Amino acid sequence: MVQVCVNGGRGSGDGALVPLSPKAMAGSAAEAVAAGASDIHVHPKSPCGEDTLSAKAVAATLDEIRSQVDVPVGVTTGAWAEPDPAARVARVREWSVLPDHASVNWHEPGAEEVAAALLERGVGVEAGIWSGTDGAARFAASPLGPRVLRVLAEVTDPDPETAEDTARELLAALGTAHGRPALLHGEEGGTWPVLDLAARLGLATRIGLEDTLTLPDGRRATSNAQLVTEALARYGSGYRSGSAYRFGSGSGAGPSSRRP
């Protein structure tokens, strides 16, 4: 699976190619799906272009995207969009249109409560486990761990020289990850090295303007679809030369029948 992360926390300062309105997000998502993306992660925006969890914005975004594509669509529940944990839970319970899944960053205050609220409403949970945080340890101890849809192993190291090592350390810290499938991805300068590693390990991954604005050769990407096209080409090549990853093995060596 290659998920497209349409916009993330980026705004108008990142260039006109970053989709901020529901219509622009839907158009960009549809192009990315046509290019081969099989899942969508999007950040609904307020009229000012800021990330929001408001029921109105979430509904408008999901309705617009679903009018153009027929693949799962997920949203963020990042604390930056609603810092107060109780208010974040209340927002989730106010949603009139539900996403297929939503990411929950396990290192953030209130993660367990937000995840529980999503599960109660029948929304799949992507457990966001960031490198450089205690998210992996918290997730390992979470009674909700076995119930999540998948683990988002999020490598926050932007250095292309060290991001792969950071990714391997994160996977090792995740251990068995409650037996849940993983999606491995990087950001900024670490995006492409981590995507290549995900391919070699046989893990799901993601690509899009949330994670990077540039292609592997440093040129500025023109769209999410262009990033997806490049990612799929690299993934196919990398997967053929690697092998599937088994959680808890500590490496990518050895075949595994359990694929994410």
Side-chain angles (χ1 to χ4, degrees):
M1 184 190 78
V2 173
Q3 181 184 79
V4 61
C5 47
V6 175
N7 53 4
R10 299 193 192 274
S12 57
D14 293 297
L17 77 164
V18 178
L20 301 179
S21 70
K23 184 175 181 180
M25 293 180 220
S28 186
E31 291 174 356
V33 170
S38 54
D39 193 279
I40 297 166
H41 173 76
V42 66
H43 290 209
K45 302 288 183 177
S46 70
C48 297
E50 300 295 328
D51 285 3
T52 180
L53 306 184
S54 79
K56 182 177 180 179
V58 170
T61 299
L62 293 175
D63 285 344
E64 194 71 47
I65 291 175
R66 285 171 172 160
S67 73
Q68 296 199 40
V69 301
D70 187 23
V71 301
V73 185
V75 301
T76 183
T77 63
W80 56 86
E82 181 57 74
D84 180 69
R88 214 176 317 139
V89 170
R91 288 287 199 185
V92 168
R93 289 176 173 157
E94 290 168 356
W95 288 349
S96 56
V97 177
L98 297 178
D100 295 287
H101 51 75
S103 61
V104 179
N105 300 318
W106 231 260
H107 65 281
E108 294 177 346
E112 294 275 343
E113 292 77 12
V114 173
L118 289 165
L119 291 169
E120 287 169 6
R121 301 210 64 190
V123 178
V125 172
E126 296 182 306
I129 312 299
W130 291 21
S131 63
T133 73
D134 63 353
R138 290 189 179 195
F139 183 69
S142 173
L144 299 180
R147 299 176 60 192
V148 307
L149 175 66
R150 58 178 158 257
V151 173
L152 299 183
E154 308 198 39
V155 181
T156 60
D157 181 353
D159 188 335
E161 300 299 321
T162 59
E164 179 178 329
D165 287 341
T166 302
R168 291 184 181 277
E169 291 169 2
L170 177 58
L171 291 173
L174 278 166
T176 61
H178 294 288
R180 305 312 302 142
L183 184 157
L184 175 67
H185 76 96
E187 64 180 38
E188 305 303 348
T191 300
W192 295 106
V194 174
L195 185 143
D196 289 344
L197 176 63
R200 294 196 302 274
L201 300 182
L203 293 174
T205 191
R206 80 177 197 185
I207 193 68
L209 295 171
E210 172 173 353
D211 289 344
T212 184
L213 298 174
T214 60
L215 298 166
D217 62 7
R219 289 180 297 136
R220 193 172 178 88
T222 59
S223 66
N224 277 303
Q226 185 184 31
L227 289 168
V228 168
T229 298
E230 179 67 24
L232 284 169
R234 294 176 71 92
Y235 192 96
S237 176
Y239 181 72
R240 286 191 295 272
S241 65
S243 57
Y245 180 84
R246 186 192 303 276
F247 262 120
S249 68
S251 73
S256 171
S257 61
R258 189 169 66 78
R259 289 285 306 284

